[in-house]
Amino acid sequence: MDLELSGGDFLTGENGRPESVSGKEELFQRATIRLTVPLGSFSCDPSLGSRLHTLKSGTPFPDEKAFSMAQEALRGMPQLTVTGAAVSQADPPTVTVTLNYGGESREVEVKL
């Protein structure tokens, strides 16, 4: 069981205490953390994170590279499957990673 995150902070209930998250929601939250944290930036575990933030405008085959980088970041979570990745050239550029767990899909957006 983890504490639920929302907007980079703990989600609190009406009593002001942090809410908890478990099951598939916890799994998707952990995947979101791994995808959005730049690889090597978490001092307690330098292997946690992804290289998605290294994608630059003009990178050849950006969707394929994002897909591979997402799989790499989630290698330690075999229950999840990366089913897609799409790079958007919006401002700011984003990568949308589609995940599947037990027949349920979720999209995680990573700002570059």
Side-chain angles (χ1 to χ4, degrees):
M1 184 169 15
D2 277 342
L3 295 177
E4 189 168 358
L5 300 175
S6 177
D9 203 355
F10 296 116
L11 182 68
T12 56
E14 290 182 16
N15 61 4
R17 294 182 182 198
E19 296 284 323
S20 61
V21 63
S22 60
K24 68 180 174 187
E25 297 304 322
E26 178 182 15
L27 192 64
F28 282 121
Q29 177 172 288
R30 288 181 178 187
T32 300
I33 292 168
R34 287 175 183 251
L35 291 169
T36 56
V37 169
L39 182 64
S41 67
F42 185 58
S43 60
C44 295
D45 183 0
S47 67
L48 184 133
S50 77
R51 294 183 303 122
L52 288 170
H53 71 283
T54 64
L55 288 171
K56 302 292 181 211
S57 179
T59 299
F61 308 107
D63 294 346
E64 291 82 354
K65 288 190 178 184
F67 185 85
S68 177
M69 290 174 174
Q71 287 181 314
E72 175 186 64
L74 300 176
R75 190 176 310 137
M77 302 181 76
Q79 342 48 336
L80 284 172
T81 304
V82 178
T83 58
V87 178
S88 161
Q89 296 305 318
D91 187 25
T94 59
V95 177
T96 302
V97 179
T98 306
L99 305 173
N100 187 286
Y101 170 69
E104 184 173 338
S105 289
R106 293 274 175 92
E107 289 186 344
V108 176
E109 189 173 277
V110 181
K111 292 181 180 154
L112 302 180

